[in-house]
Amino acid sequence: LRTIESCCLHLSVLLKSILSLDKLLNGALALPEEAFNPGLILGEVEKMNKHAAVAGVLVRNVGAGEKDFEFAVEGAPTQLTLVMINLVNNAAKFTEKGEIAFGCNIIEESDEFVVLKFFVQDTGLGIPPEMQ
């Protein structure tokens, strides 16, 4: 039931984002900024992609988890979650067997800021070099 509720929330945000895309591209709309734990994003992505495991593809979080982040970051967590879910879903479409790994690594950290790298890797077909 929580997964369905989460899906509905993300779908609602996605629809609003699509409707606001023109405003965003023209600089008339700013993404909301709020404090969040990056590990929670990864947990949501993992929950939302359990279906891929049923199809024989291992989907796993290889980055840091919620407890690995002792700090909050400022950003747009719902939009970041949607992007990560979309990337993992796209990877699942082209990965018949093998695995999809996703996560978040801390690239740089100081007292004032942190640079994070969210990633998705898969063993799927990939994009031919001539189309990249």
Side-chain angles (χ1 to χ4, degrees):
L1 193 54
R2 287 185 184 143
T3 301
I4 292 171
E5 182 181 2
S6 183
C7 287
C8 289
L9 170 68
H10 293 302
L11 181 58
S12 173
V13 171
L14 178 62
L15 291 174
K16 287 178 186 176
S17 297
I18 290 170
L19 295 173
S20 302
L21 183 60
D22 188 49
K23 291 180 185 177
L24 184 63
L25 292 174
N26 291 324
L29 180 69
L31 289 174
E33 295 245 344
E34 62 184 271
F36 68 95
N37 182 319
L40 291 175
I41 302 294
L42 301 177
E44 280 293 308
V45 172
E46 195 164 28
K47 282 192 295 189
M48 302 291 278
N49 286 286
K50 287 186 177 182
H51 68 280
V54 175
V57 177
L58 175 64
V59 178
R60 62 190 185 107
N61 175 0
V62 297
E66 176 183 358
K67 293 181 174 135
D68 295 320
F69 289 97
E70 298 176 359
F71 53 84
V73 296
E74 291 285 325
T78 304
Q79 289 77 8
L80 177 58
T81 303
L82 288 172
V83 168
M84 290 296 291
I85 288 170
N86 188 40
L87 290 172
V88 172
N89 282 336
N90 285 344
K93 290 177 192 174
F94 299 102
T95 305
E96 292 181 13
K97 60 182 179 177
E99 74 175 18
I100 300 166
F102 64 92
C104 173
N105 294 326
I106 299 171
I107 302 300
E108 188 177 343
E109 186 176 7
S110 76
D111 292 338
E112 298 172 8
F113 70 92
V114 63
V115 177
L116 301 175
K117 177 183 179 182
F118 285 84
F119 64 89
V120 176
Q121 298 172 318
D122 63 74
T123 58
L125 298 173
I127 300 172
E130 64 273 5
M131 298 192 67
Q132 293 182 7

